[in-house]
Amino acid sequence: MGVAIRLLLLPLMAVAFCGYCVTGRSHFHKKPPRGGSSGGRHRGGKEGSVVSSPAVPPADDDTQPVPPPPAGIVPSDPATPVQPAEPCVFDVRAYGAVGDGSTDDTQAFREAWKAACASAAAAVLLVPSDGTFTITTTTFSGPCKPGLVFQVDGVLMPPDGPDCWPASDNRRQWVVFSNLDGLTLRGAGTIEGNGEDWWNLPCKPHRGPNGSTLRGPCDSPTLVRFFMSRNLVVEGLRVENSPEFHFRFDGCSDVRVDGLYISSPANSPNTDGIHVENTERVGIYNSRISNGDDCISIGTGSYDVDIQNITCGPGHGISIGSLGVHNSQACVSNVTVRNAVIRNSDNGLRIKTWQGGMGAVSGIAFADVVMENVRNCIIVDQYYCLDKRCMNQSTAVHVTDVSYANVRGSYDTRSAPIHFACSDTVPCTNITMSEVELLPASGELVDDPFCWSAYGTQQTLTIPPVTCLQDGLPDALLDNPDLKCR
């Protein structure tokens, strides 16, 4: 065989041998692991479904990295078909993971991640479907080759509550994905948060059964956090019973979330489903979220967020904020919520800011939203305060260019369905309402929406009528440098 041909075949042989890279330590068990997607200590329930993302992808979708052709293939050669290489699979069991629901498998996951991250070929870190794997606080950091997949087909969970949490571990987060480009987190399995004992820590009051008041979390971990990463995909998982936030995206860009089922009890405090902060170009699609706090929360520094085909409730609805706490500057722009259902929720579509803040919330569009027995269907609150004892302050985050179109359904009559409480010195401006029809779920019509320092128009007659919006723009907002964002 000629030297040139042998040199061409060597890369092809290397790729072929990487079809299933279970290169860790062999680890055999005399007893089969108990667990699986419904075994171990998993508090499972109804499976979520994965459906395709909408026809309109997140902005700048063309920035997704394009993988190079397989080794040894010459793209310009028409006689050689270009076939994607089979990924290397790094099964955590090959690195010593037991998956019996009680053994600490942290080290096996860290070793499997290290190997997958270092792989020259496309890699899949596999959490197999026949196990329940417990790991402690872990940061899976890069850089790694784009295209790395973290596949959860079994059950993945933290230790059971604060008493079992290692004293040396961070109590504010559990699994962190950091400094990555092109990561996909997916699977048919479950991430179980074991959050119940965290919710009952003696710190924050929250609702209990039969109208009682319980107390809630102090330092409680976010279940899954993505930090300083880009080109992320999260899809198909069931995630439940988080100690605090289920997902948090912080300092990221170009994110697509699709087909998640997020579930925690209605009285679980601070269990936001998906929180986005300092992150841009985000698409959240085709997901069902029920929890004890915001279904989706949008924090400061978030831009170009597209939310479609979401079912929320129970919980606190879809919220922008809270913003401007401790007199900080907050900027959020270009957020779209479309084709959403919000049911049995304390709030529907909410914007909440603290007095004393600066900056702006702008370019917000809520469209084609169905409400079912929601207490505060449409609310802007520039006087947000956790205990209602906050000082009055003159500055505020400016809320402007907010539209509500085709928002229909039923409300809980304990509150007016529409509530615009805006700042005296920094009023809300350019609020537009079209085809808004909200009727009582039971009882008599509450036809007295609340407005304070709110400017805007009804483009069509709303039910109930919102005649309290003021026309034009207030002089107080002209040339105010505190309202500027990027």
Side-chain angles (χ1 to χ4, degrees), residues 36 56 118 147 150 155 211 236 271 282 307 350 363 367 379 422 440 443-444 461 473:
V56 181
F150 196 111
V155 177
T271 53
V282 181
I307 301 169
R350 178 167 62 159
I379 180 170
C422 301
E444 296 183 1
L461 181 65
L473 292 173

Side-chain angles (χ1 to χ4, degrees), residues 192-216:
E192 164 62 51
N194 290 331
E196 183 174 358
D197 290 341
W198 293 97
W199 307 330
N200 296 322
L201 289 175
C203 281
K204 183 179 177 182
H206 64 286
R207 293 176 304 169
N210 302 319
S212 64
T213 299
L214 303 175
R215 302 194 67 82

Side-chain angles (χ1 to χ4, degrees), residues 24-81:
R25 302 188 308 268
S26 298
H27 198 96
F28 298 97
H29 307 285
K30 295 181 180 179
K31 295 181 180 179
R34 54 188 177 87
S37 59
S38 60
R41 299 176 55 260
H42 165 46
R43 303 161 184 162
K46 181 178 176 182
E47 289 294 331
S49 59
V50 183
V51 288
S52 59
S53 57
V56 181
D60 292 349
D61 191 61
D62 58 352
T63 61
Q64 298 290 336
V66 178
I73 300 297
V74 182
S76 60
D77 183 357
T80 307

Side-chain angles (χ1 to χ4, degrees), residues 7 33 104 240 270 272 347 369 402 434 454 456 465:
L7 289 175
D104 182 357
E240 60 188 22
N270 286 55
D272 293 38
N347 304 294
V369 179
V402 183
S434 174

Side-chain angles (χ1 to χ4, degrees), residues 431-444:
I431 296 172
T432 60
M433 309 194 76
S434 174
E435 304 295 335
V436 175
E437 296 184 4
L438 299 168
L439 299 170
S442 62
E444 296 183 1

Side-chain angles (χ1 to χ4, degrees), residues 32-35 40-41 93 97-105 131-134:
R34 54 188 177 87
R41 299 176 55 260
R93 277 218 172 93
V98 179
D100 62 359
S102 58
T103 300
D104 182 357
D105 290 323
T132 298
F133 300 86
T134 300

